[in-house]
Amino acid sequence: MVKILVVEDEHIVAMDLQSRLVSLGYEVPETASSGEEAVEKAGRIRPDLILMDIFLGGEMDGIDAAGKIKELYNIPLIYITAYADASTLQRAKLTEPFGYILKPFEEREMLTNIEMALYKSRMDSRVKDSERWLATTLKSIGDGVIATDDRGEIKFMNPVAETLTGWMQGAAMGRRLTDVFRITSEAGKPLDESVGELLGGGETEIPPNVLLIGRDGKETPVYCKAAPIKAAEGGSTTGVVVIFSDTTERKRAVEALRRKNRDLEVYNAITTAINRSGSIEEMLNEALKESVELLEADFGVLYLFETQERYAQLAAIVAKPGSEKAIRCRQVLHDVAIPLGTVSTGVQSIFEDSIVATVVPITARGNLLGLMAFHVSGDCKAVEGCDRAAMLIGAGAQIGIAVENYRLFKNVQDTSRYLADIIDESPDAVLTVDMGGFIVSFNKSASRLLKYTPAEVKGRHITSLLPDEAGVDRGENRNYVRDFKCKDGSAITLNISTSTIIRDGRKNGFIVTLKDLSAITGLKITPLMEKAVDTAQRYHFEKGNIYLFDRRAGHQYMEVFADQVKHNIQGLCITRQNPKKVREKYGLEKTPIVWLTGGDDPGGEITMRPDNLTGLGATLGKFITGTHNGLVLIDGMEYLMTRNGFEAVLKLVQFLNDRIMQSDCVVLLCMDPLTLEERQYNILRTETQEFTG
């Protein structure tokens, strides 16, 4: 009997709910009037379902209690309440309730919500069990299975494949498929190219009887099938899967199998259709076709229940070859009730015109997933209880498992693609590494941050992204700061967060999340020096000063800057202009240039957002401190003031002046005074020296 815990702080309402639930056939051993009591009783009596009032007296309301119960016991829950504002509903959603009933409510509404919640809870548990079952199945099936990536390098081998090839999975991982899975025809002709063609996305036929050459040179006759793994229907090839089995014993049994009667041959055809069809539609049609032949029926139909629905929909229809009878059947069946584990015959609501039908259940683990129905001329009752009936029951069970497996595979694939898309589109830079520290995935944000494409870093060790290949702490739940090396050679300070990937109960790798700290700590600019020219230096500046260039006076500040850095002075240019054009026009090759831009695609340039004065100040401070006889040009003062205001930019200038006066560096500022009020310009002049040429 289903056990329900009622949580309601109004005693009369709680008693009424308890009475109504008991009258509906549920067990309500206890009620709770507070959140704290609900948590305690949920752990003690472990109900199948909880009806929880949102608004409870005490420090813990219904939502808080629901969250605690979900965390501790994962018991399905339905909220009941008379009203709730938007913020309360939002909080309630976070606890993932299985239903929401508004007071006052009808008994039918409560019953429907309870049954749907219990059904959904059972289905959730079943999906999780199926996922675990699938992982075990791949390792436990009797055929050898090898899967590769799009480069033909092995990524998975099951124990049977290890035995047949003589290669352990650890030794085979990363090797070419044709190095491990070497096959020849029985005449000795190598067939490696047949498997290799699949990497191009095409189909290939491999002879059914081939010889597998093991690592020790031993030849084993095998049956194998290979197919490309597609990213999606019609998509690109992401790898190859090869399934093969030792046919030594099968060959010895061929003669015995040929002596089987016609029914066993047809039943084997049904099994073959179920196990080896390329799609669920093909499998259903082929299995039904062979079942029609087995029963020598005039025609047959196959229905499947839609997932989590109570109606069955027509999925396949087949008539025996040469039949001229028109098949008239229903497209959808409602309220289907047939016995499990047996073939039944009689007038059903499947075929029109009250045709007698032989009905076979399609089951999986005791659950009805669908049915097959046949019209057989003559004595239909003769089918019941005979060997054919047992074969059909077995076929129905195999079809049920195949349908369940297909739905499970599809659910796993959809979930995997969904999670992969979430990670790839995440605004945070995320990469994953295996237990050896080699990069497995690299999302779009990581590409934008470090300027590498995923293809350029996958398979590389994570330390290759660090200056001097320093180490990375890949322990559980680490959080620290470390410099990373971008593709263009620049360094960037990032916050690193790591978490462990657990698969099948074992550590499988690490997720590494990177966050850019340059907005706070500034960019790390390496001072570089241009190749010196033989001409005399045209301009001279007094060290430890900031000079103000008046654009109206026609001073070519970029030419002044270029003249300085080409005479053994380390420079840094902060500009609103495109760095590529600056380099081309003034012949600068090594001098670092920081582009003030709010754009998202800098094209490989060092950039700084104009509204990040904190990062700009930190960047300039680092450069001045770490440079001897350095020169900084800031072009775009008007742009900075527009984005941040005069007061903020003035504070930046004052900050620079404090640093410059204690150094042997020089800062050049250029702007049009007419963009400022007279008072503002005069204040700015108190912090600078006027450049007179």
Side-chain angles (χ1 to χ4, degrees), residues 324-335:
E324 298 182 356
K325 289 187 177 181
I327 306 174
R328 294 189 296 178
C329 61
R330 303 185 187 281
Q331 293 293 316
V332 179
L333 301 180
H334 295 278
D335 300 322

Side-chain angles (χ1 to χ4, degrees), residues 87 114 163 167 182 228 275 281 445 461 483 523 559 606 665:
S87 61
I114 290 173
T163 301
W167 287 83
R182 296 184 297 154
N275 293 334
E281 294 80 9
S445 294
H461 202 275
D483 284 348
L523 303 173
E559 291 184 1
I606 304 173
C665 296

Side-chain angles (χ1 to χ4, degrees), residues 342-364:
T342 184
V343 174
S344 57
T345 302
V347 177
Q348 305 283 347
S349 59
I350 298 173
F351 299 114
E352 298 182 5
D353 302 326
S354 299
I355 294 178
V356 174
T358 298
V359 180
V360 179
I362 297 175
T363 61

Side-chain angles (χ1 to χ4, degrees), residues 125-138:
S125 297
R126 185 176 299 170
V127 168
K128 292 177 181 177
D129 291 341
S130 297
E131 290 175 347
R132 289 190 290 269
W133 176 84
L134 174 61
T136 303
T137 298
L138 287 176

